[in-house]
Amino acid sequence: MASKAGNERPQAAIRPAEIVREYGFPGVDKIAGVTHDGRRVWAATGPKLVAFDPATGETTQTLDVACDAGTAFDGKYLYQIAESRIDKIDPATGDVVATIPAPGKGGDSGLTWGEGSLWVGNYRDRKIHQIDPATGAIKRTIESNRFVTGVTWVDGEMWHGTWEAEESEIRRIDPESGAVLERLQMPKGMGVSGLESDGADLFYAGGGGAGKVRAVRRPKRSPS
């Protein structure tokens, strides 16, 4: 079942994204997926998954796995989009323990774990699919009005990256209707590929061909 297209509400707040820190990696010229395992940030660089300490920027682990799009972590395993499939990976060893088909058949972008499911961005189709992590079956689809890159859940909120016509944002959307509720506009020339929350006050955003991961401040909620 598809949710309604994510047309912007007139009151959707837009503000400049606050870039807190940038991370770069020797020899890395592309960042696709990004995830957070509770301590470290993982970045998909194409031929390797790189884990780093966000406090120091120090690389702590690398895994030789295909990783050309979104990355997710379910509390135990990593999930990684590789072409038209999603690999379930043991982060201790890099072993692929299971594989499911990716819903976009190679057009997939972001990936996150939330609400007991995997959520997969479909870039040019401007959709986010909720899928069964065991089979890859699509449970439902949320439509967007922008190209979808990274996807993340935090505190019951759904956020996703957009990158279209040299403009990029991090957006909070209604997970039922797809309506845009809030927009963080990236500085000119900075795109968002992968996206993940640290579960607190930061997002980690892949910078695509810039080869960087950027920490972006998550807006605080006003007391209700």
Side-chain angles (χ1 to χ4, degrees):
M1 181 180 72
S3 300
K4 295 179 182 179
N7 295 324
E8 296 165 26
R9 295 177 178 180
Q11 69 270 29
I14 182 168
R15 70 188 79 184
E18 181 186 348
I19 312 298
V20 177
R21 184 169 177 175
E22 287 191 343
Y23 304 89
F25 313 92
V28 171
D29 59 7
K30 175 189 175 184
I31 302 291
V34 179
T35 196
H36 190 276
D37 68 7
R39 296 182 300 110
R40 301 173 299 173
V41 179
W42 291 82
T45 69
K48 295 178 184 290
L49 268 172
V50 176
F52 67 93
D53 182 338
T56 64
E58 179 185 358
T59 297
T60 60
Q61 188 178 356
T62 61
L63 298 177
D64 293 319
V65 295
C67 50
D68 54 16
T71 313
F73 182 70
D74 69 357
K76 182 176 181 181
Y77 292 101
L78 294 163
Y79 293 82
Q80 179 59 57
I81 296 174
E83 297 182 341
S84 59
R85 69 182 191 274
I86 299 173
D87 293 333
K88 183 177 181 179
I89 300 168
D90 182 337
T93 63
D95 292 340
V96 176
V97 299
T99 296
I100 58 175
K105 300 178 175 62
D108 310 273
S109 51
L111 184 67
T112 196
W113 179 270
E115 312 290 309
S117 296
L118 287 170
W119 300 78
V120 187
N122 192 250
Y123 181 64
R124 290 194 176 276
D125 284 351
R126 304 180 182 185
K127 293 177 180 178
I128 300 168
H129 300 293
Q130 179 188 11
I131 68 169
D132 185 316
T135 67
I138 297 174
K139 296 180 176 181
R140 69 185 182 98
T141 297
I142 302 169
E143 296 183 5
S144 177
N145 62 359
R146 291 288 188 277
F147 290 162
V148 176
T149 57
V151 185
T152 191
W153 280 88
V154 56
D155 292 340
E157 297 176 353
M158 190 174 203
W159 294 77
H160 76 84
T162 71
W163 195 348
E164 187 169 354
E166 303 304 316
E167 295 181 354
S168 196
E169 295 179 353
I170 299 172
R171 294 179 161 199
R172 180 167 67 93
I173 65 170
D174 184 316
E176 295 300 322
S177 69
V180 180
L181 306 176
E182 194 167 1
R183 300 162 60 192
L184 307 181
Q185 189 172 54
M186 296 293 286
K188 188 174 181 179
M190 290 189 186
V192 175
S193 49
L195 182 69
E196 190 66 284
S197 165
D198 69 349
D201 60 353
L202 292 177
F203 294 115
Y204 290 98
K212 296 181 182 297
V213 173
R214 297 182 175 101
V216 179
R217 184 81 63 195
R218 176 185 167 215
K220 291 183 179 179
R221 294 281 157 259
S222 301
S224 54

